[in-house]
Amino acid sequence: MDAAEFRKRGKEMVDYVADYLEKIDKRQVFPDVEPGYLRPLIPDCAPQDPESFEDVFKDIEKIIMPGVTHWHSPYFFAYFPAASSFPALLADMLCGGIGCVGFSWAASPACTELETVMLDWLGKMINLPEEFLAGKDGQGGGVIQGSASEATLISLLAARTKTIRRVQSENPELTEAEIMGRLVAYASDQFCATLGTTPCCSFDRLLELGPICNKENIWMHIDAAYAGSAFICPEFRHLLNGVEFADSFNFNPHKWLLVNFDCSAMWVKKRSDLIGAFKLEPLYLQHHHQERFRSLKLWFVLRMYGVTGLQEHIRKHVRLSHQFEHLVLQDERFEICAEVVLGLVCFRLKGSNELNKALLKSINEAKKIHLVPCYLREKFVLRFAVCSRTVESTHVKFAWQHISQLATDLLQTWEHDDHQQ
Amino acid sequence: MDAAEFRKRGKEMVDYVADYLEKIDKRQVFPDVEPGYLRPLIPDCAPQDPESFEDVFKDIEKIIMPGVTHWHSPYFFAYFPAASSFPALLADMLCGGIGCVGFSWAASPACTELETVMLDWLGKMINLPEEFLAGKDGQGGGVIQGSASEATLISLLAARTKTIRRVQSENPELTEAEIMGRLVAYASDQFCATLGTTPCCSFDRLLELGPICNKENIWMHIDAAYAGSAFICPEFRHLLNGVEFADSFNFNPHKWLLVNFDCSAMWVKKRSDLIGAFKLEPLYLQHHHQERFRSLKLWFVLRMYGVTGLQEHIRKHVRLSHQFEHLVLQDERFEICAEVVLGLVCFRLKGSNELNKALLKSINEAKKIHLVPCYLREKFVLRFAVCSRTVESTHVKFAWQHISQLATDLLQTWEHDDHQQ
């Protein structure tokens, strides 16, 4: 394929993607296929000779789409949102075209520099303490990671290196191995200090944890993967109070800030802690630290939405989760299982775990909407996460009426079965 | 931005990317900017109100391009290739549009299943032993990772878990911590068993290492990040002999197989070793294992190039590296520093490290081509890596004439300076 054909096919693909997203509400949100559906549909091995774009293109609807869970459908309320927007898609096209690898300044200066400045923009949007920003000559700064767990791993390694050096300087008689044997990482069952946990979007108390960590020389990392995007709204910023005690902080614009995967934003107060932990071969750089030009996505999204546009997006999702919460509360058969702070509602039928498992099963088997569950203090709970960029009040109302009707049907059978036994 | 505007802007972006790649040879391969160039060119913080696409678009040439190292220029001979092709760019557009997260089968069945089948295709293309393939009911199989170091880390964790379990079953009196304290990882200064090292593309002797690892119950991981793509050509497949002893194997189609970053292919003989090492929360899945629909890129590239098209690409690069090697060998001032096996030539002026550093400096300051160095047994060496998809014999000849002329200029000054001192 040469540039001329790419121009033609690229434009066809733009239309395909626009069509897909424009009419995604017409597709069944969860697919009908069974495990193993795909292998029989395609050849056993790669073709020897080139196939045409048309051949490949027609297989998208024939082979791929029947097996896609439509994350951007307004009827998708599972997991947490996967961010997506048109400006981010455009930036990704540019990123692919440039195709640079940004593992050092020289490998692509624009890539390295835009990332630093964009993380300063983003840090200011959530009112991060100045210490976390790079500015012209600050000691802090942000970098883009692939995921929140990548950020956690990097924090852990940086903390380990820093602690070993400190202990070694205080106790020169100890070997590195001896110090390693004494290191302790404190974590809850959500791992590190977390703002907006996955099951129910609960918040650790930074103002209690922070001073202890600082006093005891413990590296504090805060994971706000989902919730962090909400801090761009002043009314939610208080949830981040205490971040001033942290050494590192992370949230995922690729979850809730309309920046397509992957873009996990991580800040540290001292960039030297990261650089010290990852000593790089100074002469040539191994290709192991490859990264694409991911900051382009942030640049496009932050500029084309503006802060107000992004705040509207967050506020719409929070408003819709409260709308759903109110609908649940009006139905005495149901209960809300955790405080609704942002875009997630945890709810269940008053009754056994088995009853709620049966309800979820009937919801996901009907495939009109899609939800996933969690356990909260051993109770099986349904999670209603406001996810899609295009979800509106009508979709939330539809979802609730549908759930409510399935509950009615289920309770009839359930009681009937109960009586029979 | 709505779907209608995306159609318009997306098509403009397709043309921009096509223009960029079609005329990339007209751009200076390495930028003129100094560190810190970008910050003064853009505002201090994100705009409150949305900006137009035009505003953002014009800044690409004004702000971004002056700071880009053009990895796909035919005058780029640095590091290793970063793969790029039009079919891969099309697949990435589709991947962004679908925007699914493939951390479990249910989260996106097509994503999970296509990945497994594509890794089988790719495994067959390099003639991997059947044990590494998933097939319909095999124990092995492949997964896509982000980088070779991610694959190495995962192998290490899987090996650790497997070894702990084995030792524990043999010595039930030992605690996990006691076993952990006894674990040993064997590595050279390139870490694990490597095919095609970064400095000079050398190859470890798998046929010697393999039987020892098997006998001693040591997990063997093979990293063929760059070289692996060449094994699709029968004449290079012998370099992979011994892979039958390995537990895991990895190479990066995003380096040399025309699949844009990121797409690092990893196979294991026993999938259960990976699954065992990464116990996942069974009820809902944390978002920590997010991955995009990366196998679409493989599918598009393997089909639209076909095996023969990809073999031609590899063979062209190897032919061009030998062309460069012959040019170097004809000039008595230079020496070749490592056997040229694939697309990399390590060479230097016969003389001091300082002389060669000065030569590299003059090459990279002239900015007509771009190279990076390495050290081989304490000798400072220039690496000439055939990188671009569109590089041809004329570019290689130009590069050599340019290097040769700069060497002539340098040697005159150098000898002159020498005489003065």
Side-chain angles (χ1 to χ4, degrees):
Chain A
M1 183 179 287
D2 59 11
E5 198 189 347
F6 173 70
R7 286 177 205 273
K8 182 170 151 60
R9 303 314 185 181
K11 289 164 192 177
E12 289 171 19
M13 191 60 88
V14 166
D15 278 327
Y16 181 81
V17 168
D19 286 344
Y20 171 70
L21 291 172
E22 215 168 21
K23 297 172 196 159
I24 199 166
D25 57 327
K26 306 290 186 296
R27 294 181 187 256
Q28 180 176 290
V29 61
F30 194 77
D32 284 325
V33 297
E34 295 293 324
Y37 89 96
L38 187 136
R39 190 177 286 272
L41 300 179
I42 65 178
D44 262 355
C45 52
Q48 277 303 113
D49 298 314
E51 293 182 59
S52 70
F53 177 78
E54 285 94 336
D55 285 339
V56 178
F57 191 72
K58 69 173 164 42
D59 283 345
I60 299 171
E61 280 298 326
K62 201 171 125 196
I63 296 172
I64 301 301
M65 283 302 168
V68 170
T69 303
H70 300 291
W71 279 67
H72 303 289
S73 161
Y75 299 109
F76 181 92
F77 301 103
Y79 312 104
F80 268 138
S84 178
S85 67
F86 292 120
L89 294 180
L90 292 171
D92 256 349
M93 288 164 67
L94 179 62
C95 169
I98 294 176
C100 67
V101 180
F103 52 65
S104 71
W105 185 85
S108 210
C111 179
T112 305
E113 298 205 8
L114 187 66
E115 184 165 321
T116 307
V117 179
M118 283 306 102
L119 273 280
D120 273 5
W121 279 21
L122 200 56
K124 287 175 188 172
M125 283 168 67
I126 59 170
N127 200 13
L128 265 192
E130 179 104 16
E131 292 166 279
F132 285 102
L133 306 182
K136 259 186 214 158
D137 43 20
Q139 292 186 19
V143 282
I144 298 177
Q145 307 291 350
S147 64
S149 50
E150 213 174 300
T152 304
L153 176 63
I154 284 172
S155 304
L156 199 62
L157 296 174
R160 190 183 65 170
T161 303
K162 190 174 188 169
T163 306
I164 289 172
R165 287 188 191 155
R166 179 174 57 75
V167 177
Q168 216 157 23
S169 76
E170 289 164 7
N171 309 275
E173 76 284 4
L174 295 177
T175 64
E176 191 170 315
E178 283 169 334
I179 298 168
M180 290 275 276
R182 300 182 185 186
L183 298 180
V184 177
Y186 296 90
S188 74
D189 59 358
Q190 312 290 325
F191 193 70
C192 60
T194 304
L195 300 179
T197 58
T198 305
C200 66
C201 198
S202 65
F203 291 78
D204 280 330
R205 295 181 189 171
L206 300 186
L207 293 167
E208 293 180 23
L209 287 172
I212 298 170
C213 289
N214 285 190
K215 189 174 159 231
E216 304 292 340
N217 251 324
I218 297 167
W219 180 295
M220 179 158 91
H221 175 68
I222 300 173
D223 179 334
Y226 162 69
S229 298
F231 306 151
I232 65 168
C233 300
E235 67 271 31
F236 299 121
R237 173 56 178 78
H238 69 94
L239 294 166
L240 186 57
N241 288 348
V243 69
E244 56 274 19
F245 297 109
D247 296 280
S248 52
F249 170 72
N250 165 252
F251 86 91
N252 292 351
H254 70 232
K255 275 208 170 65
W256 203 13
L257 212 62
L258 298 174
V259 181
N260 279 56
F261 189 78
D262 56 339
C263 180
S264 179
M266 177 191 187
W267 290 267
V268 288
K269 274 188 189 156
K270 289 196 179 147
R271 286 202 305 273
S272 55
D273 289 340
L274 288 195
I275 296 160
F278 299 95
K279 194 174 151 278
L280 294 172
E281 165 64 51
L283 186 58
Y284 64 84
L285 279 150
Q286 298 252 353
H287 260 217
H288 293 168
H289 304 276
Q290 288 200 17
E291 287 313 335
R292 295 168 308 137
F293 204 154
R294 293 181 287 196
S295 57
L296 285 173
K297 284 185 290 203
L298 270 175
W299 199 46
F300 275 47
V301 169
L302 299 184
R303 292 181 69 182
M304 287 193 234
Y305 276 92
V307 175
T308 51
L310 294 168
Q311 286 171 336
E312 277 168 31
H313 171 68
I314 298 289
R315 285 171 180 147
K316 181 179 84 169
H317 275 201
V318 178
R319 202 165 56 238
L320 293 177
S321 73
H322 284 299
Q323 181 192 353
F324 187 82
E325 180 191 18
H326 291 311
L327 291 165
V328 175
L329 286 170
Q330 282 163 30
D331 188 327
E332 288 198 345
R333 300 172 300 171
F334 285 89
E335 59 187 346
I336 294 289
C337 310
E339 187 190 356
V340 178
V341 182
L342 298 174
L344 178 68
V345 184
C346 290
F347 70 107
R348 70 198 301 274
L349 278 167
K350 294 169 184 165
S352 67
N353 283 354
E354 285 58 44
L355 177 67
N356 281 284
K357 283 179 193 173
L359 175 61
L360 183 73
K361 189 160 178 276
S362 75
I363 292 170
N364 282 340
E365 283 181 358
K367 299 182 185 178
K368 292 197 180 299
I369 61 172
H370 189 49
L371 303 185
V372 292
C374 71
Y375 273 107
L376 293 180
R377 296 198 182 82
E378 292 172 22
K379 282 188 172 176
F380 185 91
V381 166
L382 282 68
R383 290 170 80 263
F384 181 91
V386 180
C387 285
S388 161
R389 181 177 60 79
T390 59
V391 62
E392 299 293 344
S393 180
T394 49
H395 304 107
V396 172
K397 268 186 228 157
F398 170 84
W400 172 248
Q401 282 160 6
H402 179 60
I403 293 168
S404 170
Q405 182 61 52
L406 290 175
T408 302
D409 298 348
L410 175 69
L411 287 167
Q412 279 174 0
T413 335
W414 202 263
E415 282 158 23
H416 183 67
D417 281 1
D418 247 22
H419 291 158
Q420 282 188 325
Q421 281 158 15
Chain B
M1 182 179 287
D2 59 11
E5 198 190 348
F6 173 71
R7 286 177 203 273
K8 181 170 153 60
R9 302 315 186 180
K11 289 165 191 175
E12 289 170 19
M13 191 60 89
V14 166
D15 277 326
Y16 181 82
V17 167
D19 287 342
Y20 171 71
L21 291 171
E22 215 169 20
K23 297 173 195 158
I24 198 166
D25 57 327
K26 305 292 186 294
R27 294 181 188 255
Q28 181 176 289
V29 61
F30 194 77
D32 284 324
V33 297
E34 297 292 325
Y37 89 96
L38 188 137
R39 191 178 286 272
L41 300 179
I42 65 177
D44 263 353
C45 53
Q48 277 303 113
D49 298 314
E51 294 182 58
S52 70
F53 177 76
E54 285 94 335
D55 285 340
V56 178
F57 190 71
K58 70 174 163 41
D59 283 345
I60 298 171
E61 280 299 325
K62 200 172 127 197
I63 295 172
I64 301 303
M65 282 301 168
V68 170
T69 302
H70 300 290
W71 279 67
H72 303 289
S73 161
Y75 299 109
F76 182 92
F77 301 104
Y79 312 105
F80 269 138
S84 179
S85 68
F86 293 120
L89 294 181
L90 293 171
D92 256 350
M93 288 164 66
L94 179 61
C95 168
I98 294 175
C100 66
V101 180
F103 54 64
S104 71
W105 185 86
S108 209
C111 179
T112 305
E113 297 205 9
L114 188 65
E115 184 164 322
T116 306
V117 180
M118 284 304 104
L119 273 279
D120 273 4
W121 278 23
L122 199 57
K124 287 176 188 172
M125 283 168 67
I126 59 170
N127 200 12
L128 266 191
E130 180 104 15
E131 290 167 279
F132 285 102
L133 307 182
K136 259 185 216 160
D137 44 19
Q139 292 187 17
V143 282
I144 298 178
Q145 306 291 350
S147 64
S149 50
E150 214 174 298
T152 305
L153 175 64
I154 284 171
S155 304
L156 199 63
L157 295 175
R160 190 183 65 171
T161 304
K162 189 173 190 171
T163 306
I164 289 172
R165 287 189 190 154
R166 180 174 54 76
V167 176
Q168 218 158 20
S169 78
E170 290 165 7
N171 308 274
E173 74 284 5
L174 295 178
T175 65
E176 190 170 315
E178 284 169 332
I179 297 168
M180 289 276 274
R182 299 182 186 187
L183 297 180
V184 177
Y186 296 90
S188 73
D189 58 359
Q190 313 290 325
F191 196 69
C192 61
T194 305
L195 301 179
T197 58
T198 306
C200 65
C201 198
S202 65
F203 291 78
D204 280 330
R205 295 182 188 169
L206 300 186
L207 292 167
E208 292 181 24
L209 287 171
I212 297 170
C213 289
N214 284 190
K215 190 175 159 229
E216 304 292 340
N217 251 324
I218 298 167
W219 181 293
M220 180 158 92
H221 176 67
I222 301 173
D223 179 335
Y226 162 69
S229 298
F231 307 152
I232 65 167
C233 300
E235 67 271 31
F236 300 121
R237 172 56 177 80
H238 68 94
L239 294 165
L240 186 58
N241 287 349
V243 70
E244 56 274 19
F245 297 109
D247 297 281
S248 51
F249 170 73
N250 164 253
F251 87 91
N252 291 351
H254 70 232
K255 275 207 170 64
W256 203 11
L257 212 61
L258 297 174
V259 181
N260 280 56
F261 190 80
D262 54 341
C263 179
S264 180
M266 177 190 187
W267 290 266
V268 288
K269 274 189 189 154
K270 289 198 179 145
R271 287 202 304 273
S272 55
D273 289 340
L274 288 195
I275 296 159
F278 300 95
K279 194 176 153 277
L280 295 171
E281 165 65 50
L283 186 58
Y284 65 85
L285 279 150
Q286 298 252 352
H287 259 216
H288 292 170
H289 304 277
Q290 288 202 14
E291 287 313 336
R292 296 170 304 138
F293 204 154
R294 294 182 287 196
S295 57
L296 285 173
K297 285 186 289 203
L298 271 174
W299 199 46
F300 275 48
V301 168
L302 299 184
R303 292 181 69 182
M304 286 193 233
Y305 276 91
V307 175
T308 52
L310 294 167
Q311 286 171 335
E312 277 168 31
H313 170 68
I314 297 289
R315 286 171 180 148
K316 181 179 84 168
H317 274 201
V318 178
R319 202 165 56 239
L320 293 178
S321 74
H322 284 300
Q323 182 192 352
F324 187 82
E325 179 191 19
H326 291 310
L327 291 166
V328 175
L329 286 171
Q330 282 163 31
D331 188 328
E332 290 198 344
R333 299 172 300 172
F334 285 88
E335 59 187 348
I336 294 289
C337 309
E339 187 190 355
V340 177
V341 182
L342 299 173
L344 177 68
V345 184
C346 289
F347 70 108
R348 70 197 304 271
L349 278 167
K350 294 169 183 164
S352 67
N353 282 354
E354 285 59 42
L355 177 68
N356 280 285
K357 282 179 192 172
L359 176 62
L360 183 73
K361 190 162 179 274
S362 74
I363 293 169
N364 281 340
E365 283 181 358
K367 298 179 184 178
K368 292 196 181 300
I369 62 173
H370 189 50
L371 303 184
V372 293
C374 72
Y375 274 106
L376 292 181
R377 295 197 181 84
E378 292 172 22
K379 283 190 172 174
F380 186 91
V381 166
L382 283 69
R383 290 171 79 263
F384 182 90
V386 180
C387 285
S388 162
R389 181 177 59 79
T390 60
V391 62
E392 297 293 344
S393 180
T394 49
H395 304 106
V396 172
K397 269 186 227 157
F398 170 84
W400 172 248
Q401 282 160 6
H402 179 60
I403 293 168
S404 170
Q405 183 59 53
L406 290 175
T408 302
D409 298 348
L410 174 69
L411 287 167
Q412 278 173 3
T413 337
W414 201 263
E415 281 159 22
H416 183 68
D417 282 1
D418 245 23
H419 289 156
Q420 281 188 327
Q421 279 159 16

